[in-house]
Amino acid sequence: MSTEDKKHRSHLPMRNTTPARFVPYDAKDPDMKTTPIDQLRPPAGAPNVLVILIDDCGFGAPSAFGGPCATPVAEKLAAGGLKYNRFHTTAICSATRQALLTGRNHHNAGMAGITEIATGQPGYSSVLPNTMSPLAKTLKLNGYNTAQFGKCHEVPVWQSSPVGPFDQWPTGGGGFEYFYGFIGGEAHQWYPSLYEGTTPIEAPKSPEEGYHLMEDMTDKAIGWISQQKSLAPDKPFFAYFAPGATHAPHHVPKEWADKYKGKFDAGWDKLREETFARQKKLGVIPADCELTPRPKDVPGWDDMPEEFKPVLRRQMEVYAGFLEFTDHHVGRLIETLDSMGLTDDTLIYYIIGDNGASAEGSFNGCYNEMSYFNGLQSLETAEYLTERIDKLGGPESYNHFAVGWAHALNTPYQWTKQVASHFGGTRNGTIVHWPKGIKAKGELRTQFAHVIDVAPTILEAAGIPEPVAVDGIQQDPIDGVSMLPTFNDAKAPEHRETQYFEVMGNRAIYHKGWTAVTKHYTPWIPDKKPALDDDVWELYDTSKDWTQAKDLSKEMPDKLREMQRLFLIEATRYKVLPLDDRMFEKINPDTAGRPTLIKGKTQLLAGGMGHLSENCVLSIKNKSHSVTAQIVVPQGGAEGVIIAQGADIGGWSLYALGGKVRYCYNWGGFKHFIIEGATKLAPGEHQVRMEFAYAGGGLGKGGKVTLYLDGQKDGEGEVGATLAMIFSADDGCDVGKDGGSAVSPDYKPGDNAFNGKVKGVQLSIAEDDGKHVVDPADAIRMAMARQ
C-alpha cells in the first residue's frame, strides 16, 4: 500500500520542470548545479491495478457465488482474497461504466441510461462533465501507464464516428494511453467492429481460422502488460479489462457449450432452487434468507410449450459455456501476471456483471437478437429455432436467452437488468485480490458497496489524492467512498450508508439497511407505463430480509414516506430529476434534444470509409430513399460490394455479381429480397443508382426497388418488408466492401471487396410524400432500443 509523497498531486497535470535558481554563463562554472530530470511516477508503493468488468451477468450465474456456470479463475482469486456479496451496480451498462471510471453517481456524470437514449437534460446527456476527471486520467497524470481492452459504451452517439471528437473515447479524454476494443453496447464476438485507439481495424483472422474476440482482446492485454513491464518496469499499470461477454450475442465455441449438455433440462425454476441451495452452502447468502417468488411477468418452466424446450435448454447451455469461456481467458491474463511475478502487488477487482442478467431476449429467447428490437420476434417460432439449434452461439447466430434464464441467474433476488429498483438488477458478486495489501484469504465481506466506490479505493491504495483541479478546471468531489478499510477488517463499519438507484423510472433508495423501491416498468413487456405518481412502492429491511422478500410498506407507512423523501433529496442532489421514462421520444434525437452527426437529407461517403455505426450514417429506414454510387469497373468485369450496411442478421447491400449490379435487402435474416440489373457492366466509369419507393402505412413496410445504370433503368423488384428500427448493433456501413458478417448470401465475409474502384456513394432521402407516417404506439412497441 502506498502513502502520499511530497509532490503536489492535487492539481493536475503537475509541473514537469523547475527553473534554475542560478544560471552561469559557462556550464563548467564550479557553482553550476545540474538538476536531474524528474520522471513522473506515482508515490512509492503504488500497486499495479487490474479492473475486470464482466457484461450482463447476474449474481446467481458464476460458480464463485453459487451459480451453475463454472468460474474457476474467479474461485481461485476469491480463495486468495475477498468476496463482496453486497456490491452494487446501476442496473444498466453505460451507467455502470461511467460510474466505475469516474467514481461519480451515473446521473451526476451525465449517464442516466445508455448513450443511444441521451437527452438534453444534464443527468441524461451522456456528456461527462469536465469537472469529473476519469480515474484513468488521474492515474496517468500521476505516472501510471494505462490501457483499456474490450467494451466502451460511454461515447456519445454523435461522437462515435472515426472523426470524433474523441473527448470521451478511451484514448481521447478517457485517460487511457492504449485501447483495443469496440465502441457501443455489444459486439459480434466472431465478427467484431474493432478500434485500436481511434483507428478502425479489421480482426486479425476469420472465425474459420479460429478467431473469437474474447481470445483476441486477452492476447492484446497480455502483450500490452508484457511490453509495459519490459520497457518501464518501475511504473505501475492500470489495465481495464471489459469484455463484451457475457452480453448478447452469446457467442462461444461449440465445445464449451457442449460441456453443459443436459445440465439445464429441468428448467429455470429448478435451477433457481438448486442455485439458492448452493449459495447457502457456500455462505454467500445468509442461511435464513428466503428465495423470492417468481414474478407473474416471468413464465414458469412448466408453462412453456414442450416444442420450445429443447431450444430453451440449449440457450442456457450456450450462455453457461460463454461465461466459463470468458473466465478461462481472464485466467490467461492472471497467469501472465503470475509468470511475471506481478500478482502479489496487483490490486485486482473482478466485478462479475455490470448489472443483473439480461431479460432482453424476452419470453422465448431468440436466434437473432435484433428481431426483438424490430418487433419481429413472433417469427422466431419453435420450428424456426429448432432448425437452427445447432447454430446457437456460432458465427451465423446473434442469439439471446429467454427471460426465465435471466431471472434464474439473478437468484436469489427479484427481477433483472434494467430493473434498478431491486437487487436482481443491481447486485453483482465481486472479488478483490491483492496479496500485498490484503492479509485475509478466502474471506467474505458483507459491507454495502457500490461501483462508485472502486475509484476512490484505487486512489487511496496508490496514495494519490483526489484531484482538486485537472487541466485548470476545478473538480467536483468524488461521490464514492473508499472500500480500503474493509480489506483487512471484516467488521469495519459500513462506508456507504445511503445510495439511490434509477433507470427509466425503476428506482430505489438504500439507507442504513432499509430499501424503498418501486418497479415502474418491466423491460420485456413494452406496455404503456403508468404515471410516475401511480407507482407502487415497497419497503424492505434488508438487515433482516436479505433478498427483499417481505414487503413492509403497509405495516410501516411512516418509514416508507421517510425513505421516499430521502430518494427525492438524493435524486435532486445527483441530477436524477426530472425523471424520464420515455422511450420513443428519447430514441428520436430531435425530440430527445441531443445532437446528430448527420444533418439534412443527403450524405456523401467516400470510397474506403467503413466501421460507420448507424448513428454515423443517414437513416434511410421507413422512408423513400436512393443510393447513388460512382464506380470504376476493371477489365474482366465487376465483382464485389459497392456499399453495405448491416450484417447477416439484417441490412442492405449494393454490389456486383457476375458483372451485373445487384441489390439485396436482408429482412432480419428471415428473407432476402434480391433485385438484379439486366446489363453487364463494361470496363470504365459508371454511375449505379438504387431508388427505393417506400410503400408507407407505418413502420417496417416494404417498397419498390428500381436500379439504374448510367441514368437508364436497368431492373426493378419488390421488397416485401423492411426493418423498422435497427440493422445491427455492431456491424456498420462499409464502402467498397462488406466488413464483418455478410448482408447478402451471394458473397462471403472477408472476401467481398469491390474489384474496381468506388469513388463515392451518396445516400439521399426523398422529399416527404406522406407515406411513411410513424405511429408512436407502433414505434414504442418495437423501439426497445439497445439497453
Side-chain angles (χ1 to χ4, degrees):
M1 191 180 304
S2 178
T3 56
E4 290 188 35
D5 56 6
K6 295 180 180 180
K7 287 184 178 293
H8 298 289
R9 298 179 182 271
S10 59
H11 291 70
L12 302 175
M14 292 176 278
R15 186 167 186 160
N16 61 355
T17 61
T18 302
R21 291 183 176 273
F22 170 70
V23 182
Y25 174 73
D26 189 334
K28 299 185 291 295
D29 190 304
D31 292 329
M32 170 73 177
K33 292 184 179 180
T34 299
T35 304
I37 297 173
D38 187 21
Q39 290 185 289
L40 180 62
R41 294 292 185 270
N48 302 304
V49 179
L50 171 62
V51 175
I52 302 158
L53 180 64
I54 305 301
D55 204 346
D56 279 12
C57 187
F59 183 89
S63 61
F65 288 86
C69 310
T71 52
V73 176
E75 292 181 28
K76 182 178 179 181
L77 287 173
L82 304 172
K83 284 183 186 177
Y84 284 81
N85 63 352
R86 292 175 71 214
F87 184 93
H88 299 81
T89 55
T90 69
I92 202 164
C93 53
S94 296
T96 291
R97 292 157 196 275
Q98 192 92 316
L100 171 69
L101 294 174
T102 64
R104 273 80 171 193
N105 281 308
H106 61 112
H107 293 82
N108 201 22
M111 197 71 75
I114 55 170
T115 57
E116 290 84 351
I117 55 173
T119 76
Q121 293 296 332
Y124 295 71
S125 67
S126 76
V127 176
L128 177 64
N130 59 10
T131 54
M132 300 180 183
S133 174
L135 172 64
K137 185 171 183 176
T138 299
L139 293 175
K140 182 181 74 171
L141 293 176
N142 275 278
Y144 270 77
N145 281 135
T146 58
Q148 177 176 342
F149 305 89
K151 174 174 174 175
C152 175
H153 197 192
E154 306 92 72
V155 178
V157 290
W158 64 93
Q159 297 181 6
S160 62
S161 82
V163 297
F166 302 113
D167 300 344
Q168 285 182 235
W169 285 57
T171 54
F176 291 101
E177 295 166 317
Y178 179 78
F179 171 63
Y180 185 84
F182 60 96
I183 304 293
E186 63 189 42
H188 198 303
Q189 298 289 318
W190 303 105
Y191 296 108
S193 295
L194 293 172
Y195 280 87
E196 190 164 28
T198 58
T199 302
I201 61 169
E202 298 299 325
K205 56 186 179 181
S206 69
E208 292 76 19
E209 295 169 315
Y211 182 82
H212 191 283
L213 176 56
M214 193 65 229
E215 180 179 29
D216 182 23
M217 64 174 280
T218 307
D219 289 345
K220 289 291 185 180
I222 289 171
W224 182 85
I225 290 174
S226 299
Q227 176 177 270
Q228 191 270 336
K229 286 303 174 188
S230 173
L231 299 177
D234 62 328
K235 291 185 72 173
F237 64 76
F238 171 49
Y240 174 42
F241 190 78
T246 55
H247 196 294
H250 301 157
H251 284 154
V252 67
K254 185 175 181 295
E255 61 270 20
W256 287 82
D258 287 348
K259 295 171 70 171
Y260 290 88
K261 275 198 171 182
K263 293 189 177 182
F264 305 109
D265 286 2
W268 46 68
D269 292 321
K270 184 66 173 176
L271 177 59
R272 285 194 87 218
E273 295 172 4
E274 294 171 346
T275 299
F276 188 58
R278 283 192 301 266
Q279 290 172 332
K280 285 192 172 183
K281 185 177 180 180
L282 198 59
V284 295
I285 60 175
D288 61 351
C289 74
E290 293 184 25
L291 178 62
T292 55
R294 173 171 40 79
K296 62 180 178 61
D297 291 340
V298 178
W301 179 255
D302 292 341
D303 298 329
M304 299 303 292
E306 285 299 321
E307 62 269 25
F308 259 114
K309 288 184 177 178
V311 173
L312 294 173
R313 294 180 180 113
R314 186 58 177 172
Q315 290 172 1
M316 186 58 214
E317 292 168 3
V318 169
Y319 178 87
F322 194 21
L323 180 52
E324 183 177 352
F325 182 71
T326 302
D327 182 76
H328 164 75
H329 285 289
V330 170
R332 293 178 54 225
L333 189 54
I334 303 302
E335 287 172 2
T336 298
L337 299 181
D338 290 342
S339 68
M340 299 176 69
L342 301 174
T343 307
D344 282 356
D345 197 24
T346 299
L347 171 55
I348 300 173
Y349 265 90
Y350 193 168
I351 305 170
I352 311 178
D354 58 349
N355 41 245
S358 168
E360 290 152 357
S362 197
F363 295 108
N364 299 329
C366 47
Y367 182 74
N368 173 6
E369 185 195 11
M370 295 302 106
S371 65
Y372 172 54
F373 302 114
N374 285 306
L376 302 176
Q377 203 164 19
S378 62
L379 299 177
E380 294 207 0
T381 61
E383 181 182 12
Y384 178 88
L385 290 169
T386 301
E387 288 175 356
R388 293 160 177 79
I389 190 170
D390 292 332
K391 294 182 178 180
L392 287 174
E396 295 178 52
S397 68
Y398 206 84
N399 52 306
H400 205 326
F401 59 18
V403 61
W405 295 124
H407 180 241
L409 295 183
N410 294 322
T411 300
Y413 305 112
Q414 299 186 58
W415 302 107
T416 66
K417 175 185 177 181
Q418 295 190 42
V419 186
S421 52
H422 291 76
F423 289 156
T426 62
R427 183 163 285 182
N428 290 93
T430 294
I431 294 161
V432 180
H433 183 274
W434 182 24
K436 192 172 181 179
I438 301 173
K439 297 176 183 177
K441 308 293 180 188
E443 291 188 3
L444 186 68
R445 294 292 183 264
T446 60
Q447 289 89 348
F448 189 97
H450 191 272
V451 69
I452 60 175
D453 300 330
V454 174
T457 305
I458 292 170
L459 290 178
E460 184 177 359
I464 294 172
E466 178 182 340
V468 173
V470 178
D471 294 331
I473 298 172
Q474 188 86 6
Q475 296 294 291
D476 295 337
I478 286 177
D479 300 328
V481 182
S482 174
M483 298 165 62
L484 204 68
T486 68
F487 282 8
N488 288 304
D489 186 358
K491 297 181 180 180
E494 293 208 339
H495 57 284
R496 173 160 301 287
E497 293 187 335
T498 306
Q499 181 61 46
Y500 82 89
F501 298 88
E502 194 279 336
V503 169
M504 290 287 290
N506 289 330
R507 55 202 189 276
I509 184 73
Y510 169 88
H511 182 64
K512 294 183 178 180
W514 288 90
T515 59
V517 311
T518 180
K519 185 184 73 67
H520 180 63
Y521 80 104
T522 303
W524 58 94
I525 303 178
D527 293 338
K528 186 176 181 180
K529 300 178 181 72
L532 291 164
D533 285 342
D534 292 338
D535 285 335
V536 177
W537 284 74
E538 302 159 11
L539 179 69
Y540 301 99
D541 180 1
T542 64
S543 66
K544 301 174 182 176
D545 174 20
W546 185 272
T547 59
Q548 299 176 313
K550 299 175 183 177
D551 179 13
L552 302 175
S553 59
K554 290 183 173 58
E555 300 173 34
M556 305 180 69
D558 291 341
K559 184 64 177 180
L560 177 61
R561 281 191 291 272
E562 174 192 324
M563 295 291 288
Q564 289 172 313
R565 186 164 55 246
L566 181 57
F567 173 82
L568 288 175
I569 292 170
E570 295 295 290
T572 303
R573 176 180 295 163
Y574 293 115
K575 309 176 193 172
V576 182
L577 300 180
L579 293 169
D580 194 345
D581 65 350
R582 300 172 301 161
M583 177 59 78
F584 174 66
E585 294 88 346
K586 289 196 288 188
I587 290 172
N588 184 337
D590 295 330
T591 53
R594 66 175 176 269
T596 55
L597 179 64
I598 306 303
K599 301 172 178 64
K601 294 189 174 183
T602 64
Q603 182 181 15
L604 182 62
L605 301 173
M609 291 178 67
H611 274 48
L612 303 175
S613 70
E614 292 192 28
N615 292 293
C616 304
V617 178
L618 187 72
S619 177
I620 56 177
K621 301 182 189 76
N622 310 305
K623 51 181 72 77
S624 297
H625 61 274
S626 65
V627 179
T628 306
Q630 202 71 19
I631 63 173
V632 178
V633 177
Q635 295 293 326
E639 295 288 339
V641 176
I642 299 169
I643 183 173
Q645 184 178 24
D648 59 357
I649 57 172
W652 59 272
S653 178
L654 186 65
Y655 55 102
L657 182 69
K660 298 179 181 180
V661 174
R662 279 195 173 193
Y663 174 81
C664 172
Y665 195 95
N666 181 335
W667 186 52
F670 297 107
K671 188 171 183 179
H672 297 85
F673 301 96
I674 297 177
I675 295 92
E676 184 177 61
T679 308
K680 277 201 170 187
L681 292 161
E685 187 164 340
H686 298 277
Q687 184 189 83
V688 175
R689 181 176 177 86
M690 185 284 301
E691 291 188 356
F692 191 104
Y694 189 63
L699 295 171
K701 304 302 180 182
K704 182 179 180 179
V705 169
T706 306
L707 297 176
Y708 294 89
L709 177 60
D710 297 327
Q712 302 298 311
K713 184 176 177 180
D714 194 47
E716 63 182 8
E718 296 292 327
V719 171
T722 58
L723 299 175
M725 301 307 302
I726 189 169
F727 296 131
S728 169
D730 181 44
D731 260 351
C733 180
D734 300 288
V735 180
K737 65 178 181 180
D738 184 356
S741 60
V743 171
S744 173
D746 284 336
Y747 52 81
K748 296 179 179 180
D751 187 26
N752 56 50
F754 188 64
N755 65 343
K757 181 179 181 180
V758 180
K759 300 180 76 172
V761 180
Q762 180 169 289
L763 308 179
S764 301
I765 298 171
E767 291 299 320
D768 192 348
D769 55 12
K771 290 182 179 179
H772 47 276
V773 177
V774 176
D775 175 15
D778 195 25
I780 290 171
R781 180 177 63 83
M782 291 190 287
M784 301 300 290
R786 182 67 253 128
Q787 300 293 324

